[in-house]
């Protein structure tokens, strides 16, 4: 995925149930094309295959349970994600925590499958621990700011900078994203200034009255 980038996690908000997930993915595709900025989407699991096969922007899974195709009812597998045409997956989102051994196994599974791995974390120390598993990205999001109106970039820029600096020391090849409360172009601009390669967000676009306008505002924080 080209950077800087904006990753939109649709979560399971009412606003993206059924056909509305595809509508939002199409809006993201249009804004990405108009602005030239990378916008990746994480649709609900039940819409992943359809969206990954129909839009031209990067599509990621919101979660993965297991790295192999073992018979497990209701689980999301790495080979299953790969088969949809998605390019990668979030791992260990704040709303779907995993243990470190599982995170490592999923990161390895992504690497073997040629999928992008984005491990979500909640602070500097968990970010450093997760970075040692070798993902492509760490997305650091303080849980108390998720879904709120204050961006991590203004509430606690130090935690973002600390994550960027710490990871550059322990695993310099791992890139850093941040999120939680991100809503404006200024939030994105500051995230990049702090050394991240982009943002992971949800409510600022999914729950906006005009998601396209919200996305364009976010993109304004990235100078091309
Ligand atoms: O996955 C992104 C998320 O946890 C941040 O959510 O609503 O604060 O942008 P939000």
């Amino acid at each position: 995925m080209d950077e800087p980038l904006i990753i939109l996690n649709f979560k399971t908000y009412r606003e993206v149930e059924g056909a509305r997930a595809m509508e939002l993915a199409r809006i993201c595709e249009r804004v990405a094309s108009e602005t030239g900025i990378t916008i990746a989407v994480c649709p609900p699991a039940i819409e992943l295959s359809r969206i990954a096969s129909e839009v031209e922007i990067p599509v990621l899974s919101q979660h993965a349970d297991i790295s192999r195709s073992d018979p497990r009812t209701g689980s999301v597998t790495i080979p299953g994600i790969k088969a949809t045409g998605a390019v990668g997956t979030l791992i260990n989102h704040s709303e779907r925590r995993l243990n470190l051994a599982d995170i490592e196994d999923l990161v390895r599974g992504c690497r073997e499958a040629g999928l992008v791995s984005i491990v979500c974390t909640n602070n500097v120390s968990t970010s450093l621990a997760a970075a040692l598993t070798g993902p492509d990205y760490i997305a650091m999001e303080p849980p108390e700011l998720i879904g709120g109106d204050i961006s991590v970039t203004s509430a606690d820029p130090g935690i973002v900078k600390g994550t960027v600096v710490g990871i550059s020391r322990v695993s310099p090849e791992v890139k850093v994203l941040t999120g939680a409360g991100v809503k404006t172009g200024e939030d994105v601009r500051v995230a990049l200034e702090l050394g991240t390669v982009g943002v992971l967000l949800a409510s600022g676009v999914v729950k906006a009255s005009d998601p396209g306008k919200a996305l364009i505002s976010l993109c304004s924080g990235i100078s091309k």
Side-chain angles (χ1 to χ4, degrees), residues 146-176:
I146 290 178
D149 287 326
I150 303 173
S151 169
V152 61
T153 52
S154 46
D156 196 351
I159 199 174
V160 180
K161 191 73 192 172
T163 301
V164 169
V165 171
I167 288 180
S168 73
R169 290 186 184 139
V170 301
S171 299
E173 66 291 349
V174 176
K175 293 171 273 191
V176 180

mmCIF file of all heavy atoms in Angstrom, residues 146-176:
data_model
loop_
_atom_site.group_PDB
_atom_site.id
_atom_site.type_symbol
_atom_site.label_atom_id
_atom_site.label_comp_id
_atom_site.label_asym_id
_atom_site.label_seq_id
_atom_site.Cartn_x
_atom_site.Cartn_y
_atom_site.Cartn_z
ATOM 1 N N ILE A 146 -10.954 5.895 21.647
ATOM 2 C CA ILE A 146 -11.641 5.329 20.481
ATOM 3 C C ILE A 146 -13.120 5.719 20.500
ATOM 4 O O ILE A 146 -13.792 5.586 21.523
ATOM 5 C CB ILE A 146 -11.456 3.794 20.437
ATOM 6 C CG1 ILE A 146 -10.003 3.452 20.090
ATOM 7 C CG2 ILE A 146 -12.423 3.157 19.446
ATOM 8 C CD1 ILE A 146 -9.688 1.968 20.072
ATOM 9 N N GLY A 147 -13.580 6.208 19.369
ATOM 10 C CA GLY A 147 -14.992 6.580 19.238
ATOM 11 C C GLY A 147 -15.304 7.945 19.809
ATOM 12 O O GLY A 147 -16.445 8.401 19.751
ATOM 13 N N GLY A 148 -14.295 8.633 20.339
ATOM 14 C CA GLY A 148 -14.522 9.940 20.954
ATOM 15 C C GLY A 148 -14.251 11.078 19.994
ATOM 16 O O GLY A 148 -13.963 10.874 18.809
ATOM 17 N N ASP A 149 -14.318 12.295 20.535
ATOM 18 C CA ASP A 149 -14.160 13.486 19.697
ATOM 19 C C ASP A 149 -12.782 14.112 19.809
ATOM 20 O O ASP A 149 -12.486 15.085 19.123
ATOM 21 C CB ASP A 149 -15.218 14.530 20.063
ATOM 22 C CG ASP A 149 -16.582 14.099 19.559
ATOM 23 O OD1 ASP A 149 -16.628 13.456 18.488
ATOM 24 O OD2 ASP A 149 -17.584 14.357 20.248
ATOM 25 N N ILE A 150 -11.935 13.576 20.694
ATOM 26 C CA ILE A 150 -10.587 14.144 20.829
ATOM 27 C C ILE A 150 -9.596 13.163 20.225
ATOM 28 O O ILE A 150 -9.513 12.006 20.633
ATOM 29 C CB ILE A 150 -10.241 14.406 22.309
ATOM 30 C CG1 ILE A 150 -11.302 15.326 22.928
ATOM 31 C CG2 ILE A 150 -8.854 15.023 22.438
ATOM 32 C CD1 ILE A 150 -11.147 15.501 24.409
ATOM 33 N N SER A 151 -8.857 13.659 19.248
ATOM 34 C CA SER A 151 -7.899 12.798 18.553
ATOM 35 C C SER A 151 -6.693 12.489 19.436
ATOM 36 O O SER A 151 -6.214 13.350 20.181
ATOM 37 C CB SER A 151 -7.427 13.496 17.280
ATOM 38 O OG SER A 151 -6.333 12.809 16.725
ATOM 39 N N VAL A 152 -6.181 11.276 19.305
ATOM 40 C CA VAL A 152 -4.953 10.898 20.004
ATOM 41 C C VAL A 152 -3.832 11.882 19.711
ATOM 42 O O VAL A 152 -2.975 12.137 20.565
ATOM 43 C CB VAL A 152 -4.530 9.454 19.623
ATOM 44 C CG1 VAL A 152 -4.254 9.331 18.116
ATOM 45 C CG2 VAL A 152 -3.318 8.998 20.408
ATOM 46 N N THR A 153 -3.857 12.476 18.531
ATOM 47 C CA THR A 153 -2.772 13.379 18.142
ATOM 48 C C THR A 153 -2.786 14.672 18.939
ATOM 49 O O THR A 153 -1.753 15.320 19.088
ATOM 50 C CB THR A 153 -2.858 13.711 16.636
ATOM 51 O OG1 THR A 153 -4.193 14.169 16.359
ATOM 52 C CG2 THR A 153 -2.544 12.512 15.789
ATOM 53 N N SER A 154 -3.962 15.063 19.475
ATOM 54 C CA SER A 154 -3.983 16.247 20.340
ATOM 55 C C SER A 154 -4.087 15.846 21.810
ATOM 56 O O SER A 154 -3.553 16.520 22.680
ATOM 57 C CB SER A 154 -5.113 17.206 19.950
ATOM 58 O OG SER A 154 -6.315 16.524 19.757
ATOM 59 N N ALA A 155 -4.756 14.728 22.110
ATOM 60 C CA ALA A 155 -4.893 14.306 23.509
ATOM 61 C C ALA A 155 -3.566 13.817 24.081
ATOM 62 O O ALA A 155 -3.256 14.058 25.244
ATOM 63 C CB ALA A 155 -5.934 13.186 23.633
ATOM 64 N N ASP A 156 -2.787 13.110 23.258
ATOM 65 C CA ASP A 156 -1.545 12.531 23.771
ATOM 66 C C ASP A 156 -0.505 12.336 22.659
ATOM 67 O O ASP A 156 -0.164 11.205 22.304
ATOM 68 C CB ASP A 156 -1.852 11.183 24.451
ATOM 69 C CG ASP A 156 -0.711 10.711 25.324
ATOM 70 O OD1 ASP A 156 0.377 11.326 25.286
ATOM 71 O OD2 ASP A 156 -0.898 9.715 26.058
ATOM 72 N N PRO A 157 -0.012 13.457 22.092
ATOM 73 C CA PRO A 157 0.987 13.300 21.028
ATOM 74 C C PRO A 157 2.222 12.539 21.497
ATOM 75 O O PRO A 157 2.886 11.845 20.717
ATOM 76 C CB PRO A 157 1.333 14.748 20.632
ATOM 77 C CG PRO A 157 0.758 15.622 21.696
ATOM 78 C CD PRO A 157 -0.334 14.868 22.366
ATOM 79 N N GLY A 158 2.518 12.620 22.793
ATOM 80 C CA GLY A 158 3.704 11.950 23.327
ATOM 81 C C GLY A 158 3.639 10.440 23.166
ATOM 82 O O GLY A 158 4.661 9.790 22.923
ATOM 83 N N ILE A 159 2.441 9.866 23.270
ATOM 84 C CA ILE A 159 2.332 8.406 23.150
ATOM 85 C C ILE A 159 2.556 7.982 21.696
ATOM 86 O O ILE A 159 3.089 6.904 21.424
ATOM 87 C CB ILE A 159 0.975 7.907 23.716
ATOM 88 C CG1 ILE A 159 1.030 6.427 24.038
ATOM 89 C CG2 ILE A 159 -0.167 8.169 22.771
ATOM 90 C CD1 ILE A 159 -0.224 5.904 24.730
ATOM 91 N N VAL A 160 2.176 8.864 20.775
ATOM 92 C CA VAL A 160 2.399 8.558 19.357
ATOM 93 C C VAL A 160 3.897 8.656 19.059
ATOM 94 O O VAL A 160 4.495 7.744 18.480
ATOM 95 C CB VAL A 160 1.607 9.531 18.445
ATOM 96 C CG1 VAL A 160 1.850 9.187 16.981
ATOM 97 C CG2 VAL A 160 0.116 9.490 18.779
ATOM 98 N N LYS A 161 4.501 9.752 19.497
ATOM 99 C CA LYS A 161 5.936 9.941 19.255
ATOM 100 C C LYS A 161 6.740 8.837 19.950
ATOM 101 O O LYS A 161 7.689 8.288 19.371
ATOM 102 C CB LYS A 161 6.357 11.322 19.799
ATOM 103 C CG LYS A 161 7.725 11.757 19.387
ATOM 104 C CD LYS A 161 7.749 12.145 17.922
ATOM 105 C CE LYS A 161 9.155 12.313 17.397
ATOM 106 N NZ LYS A 161 9.175 12.495 15.942
ATOM 107 N N GLY A 162 6.358 8.502 21.176
ATOM 108 C CA GLY A 162 7.068 7.456 21.912
ATOM 109 C C GLY A 162 6.997 6.114 21.188
ATOM 110 O O GLY A 162 7.966 5.348 21.171
ATOM 111 N N THR A 163 5.864 5.841 20.576
ATOM 112 C CA THR A 163 5.713 4.592 19.819
ATOM 113 C C THR A 163 6.608 4.611 18.583
ATOM 114 O O THR A 163 7.313 3.635 18.290
ATOM 115 C CB THR A 163 4.232 4.409 19.404
ATOM 116 O OG1 THR A 163 3.431 4.387 20.584
ATOM 117 C CG2 THR A 163 4.029 3.124 18.627
ATOM 118 N N VAL A 164 6.603 5.734 17.877
ATOM 119 C CA VAL A 164 7.421 5.847 16.656
ATOM 120 C C VAL A 164 8.911 5.692 17.001
ATOM 121 O O VAL A 164 9.633 4.908 16.365
ATOM 122 C CB VAL A 164 7.162 7.214 15.973
ATOM 123 C CG1 VAL A 164 8.188 7.482 14.877
ATOM 124 C CG2 VAL A 164 5.746 7.273 15.415
ATOM 125 N N VAL A 165 9.345 6.392 18.036
ATOM 126 C CA VAL A 165 10.773 6.355 18.403
ATOM 127 C C VAL A 165 11.153 4.959 18.921
ATOM 128 O O VAL A 165 12.167 4.384 18.531
ATOM 129 C CB VAL A 165 11.079 7.441 19.456
ATOM 130 C CG1 VAL A 165 12.483 7.275 20.023
ATOM 131 C CG2 VAL A 165 10.918 8.828 18.841
ATOM 132 N N GLY A 166 10.297 4.406 19.780
ATOM 133 C CA GLY A 166 10.592 3.076 20.348
ATOM 134 C C GLY A 166 10.674 2.013 19.269
ATOM 135 O O GLY A 166 11.598 1.190 19.252
ATOM 136 N N ILE A 167 9.737 2.029 18.336
ATOM 137 C CA ILE A 167 9.746 1.009 17.280
ATOM 138 C C ILE A 167 10.942 1.207 16.360
ATOM 139 O O ILE A 167 11.546 0.229 15.901
ATOM 140 C CB ILE A 167 8.404 1.016 16.514
ATOM 141 C CG1 ILE A 167 7.317 0.428 17.417
ATOM 142 C CG2 ILE A 167 8.504 0.227 15.207
ATOM 143 C CD1 ILE A 167 5.945 0.360 16.829
ATOM 144 N N SER A 168 11.331 2.441 16.131
ATOM 145 C CA SER A 168 12.502 2.666 15.261
ATOM 146 C C SER A 168 13.757 2.062 15.893
ATOM 147 O O SER A 168 14.707 1.728 15.204
ATOM 148 C CB SER A 168 12.695 4.156 14.983
ATOM 149 O OG SER A 168 13.194 4.796 16.138
ATOM 150 N N ARG A 169 13.738 1.892 17.213
ATOM 151 C CA ARG A 169 14.909 1.277 17.880
ATOM 152 C C ARG A 169 14.835 -0.248 17.890
ATOM 153 O O ARG A 169 15.838 -0.917 17.672
ATOM 154 C CB ARG A 169 14.990 1.781 19.322
ATOM 155 C CG ARG A 169 15.392 3.254 19.363
ATOM 156 C CD ARG A 169 15.626 3.753 20.787
ATOM 157 N NE ARG A 169 15.912 5.187 20.756
ATOM 158 C CZ ARG A 169 15.438 6.069 21.623
ATOM 159 N NH1 ARG A 169 14.659 5.669 22.614
ATOM 160 N NH2 ARG A 169 15.738 7.330 21.527
ATOM 161 N N VAL A 170 13.644 -0.808 18.145
ATOM 162 C CA VAL A 170 13.585 -2.273 18.288
ATOM 163 C C VAL A 170 13.301 -2.999 16.972
ATOM 164 O O VAL A 170 13.772 -4.106 16.755
ATOM 165 C CB VAL A 170 12.552 -2.717 19.355
ATOM 166 C CG1 VAL A 170 12.886 -2.137 20.705
ATOM 167 C CG2 VAL A 170 11.126 -2.388 18.969
ATOM 168 N N SER A 171 12.505 -2.389 16.094
ATOM 169 C CA SER A 171 12.128 -3.036 14.822
ATOM 170 C C SER A 171 11.971 -1.954 13.757
ATOM 171 O O SER A 171 10.846 -1.623 13.366
ATOM 172 C CB SER A 171 10.803 -3.796 14.960
ATOM 173 O OG SER A 171 10.861 -4.812 15.894
ATOM 174 N N PRO A 172 13.075 -1.399 13.270
ATOM 175 C CA PRO A 172 12.991 -0.235 12.380
ATOM 176 C C PRO A 172 12.220 -0.468 11.087
ATOM 177 O O PRO A 172 11.771 0.483 10.452
ATOM 178 C CB PRO A 172 14.458 0.111 12.103
ATOM 179 C CG PRO A 172 15.271 -0.997 12.642
ATOM 180 C CD PRO A 172 14.444 -1.796 13.587
ATOM 181 N N GLU A 173 12.073 -1.736 10.693
ATOM 182 C CA GLU A 173 11.354 -1.995 9.440
ATOM 183 C C GLU A 173 9.838 -1.927 9.622
ATOM 184 O O GLU A 173 9.084 -1.905 8.646
ATOM 185 C CB GLU A 173 11.761 -3.368 8.861
ATOM 186 C CG GLU A 173 11.368 -4.588 9.677
ATOM 187 C CD GLU A 173 12.125 -4.760 11.006
ATOM 188 O OE1 GLU A 173 13.127 -4.043 11.245
ATOM 189 O OE2 GLU A 173 11.672 -5.575 11.818
ATOM 190 N N VAL A 174 9.371 -1.895 10.861
ATOM 191 C CA VAL A 174 7.921 -1.855 11.126
ATOM 192 C C VAL A 174 7.440 -0.411 11.078
ATOM 193 O O VAL A 174 8.002 0.474 11.726
ATOM 194 C CB VAL A 174 7.602 -2.473 12.507
ATOM 195 C CG1 VAL A 174 6.111 -2.343 12.821
ATOM 196 C CG2 VAL A 174 8.037 -3.936 12.547
ATOM 197 N N LYS A 175 6.376 -0.173 10.295
ATOM 198 C CA LYS A 175 5.855 1.188 10.150
ATOM 199 C C LYS A 175 4.717 1.425 11.147
ATOM 200 O O LYS A 175 4.055 0.472 11.572
ATOM 201 C CB LYS A 175 5.378 1.400 8.719
ATOM 202 C CG LYS A 175 6.567 1.385 7.741
ATOM 203 C CD LYS A 175 6.157 1.375 6.309
ATOM 204 C CE LYS A 175 5.919 -0.027 5.822
ATOM 205 N NZ LYS A 175 5.765 -0.134 4.376
ATOM 206 N N VAL A 176 4.544 2.684 11.504
ATOM 207 C CA VAL A 176 3.588 3.008 12.568
ATOM 208 C C VAL A 176 2.414 3.818 12.022
ATOM 209 O O VAL A 176 2.595 4.784 11.280
ATOM 210 C CB VAL A 176 4.279 3.797 13.709
ATOM 211 C CG1 VAL A 176 3.282 4.131 14.818
ATOM 212 C CG2 VAL A 176 5.456 3.001 14.270
#
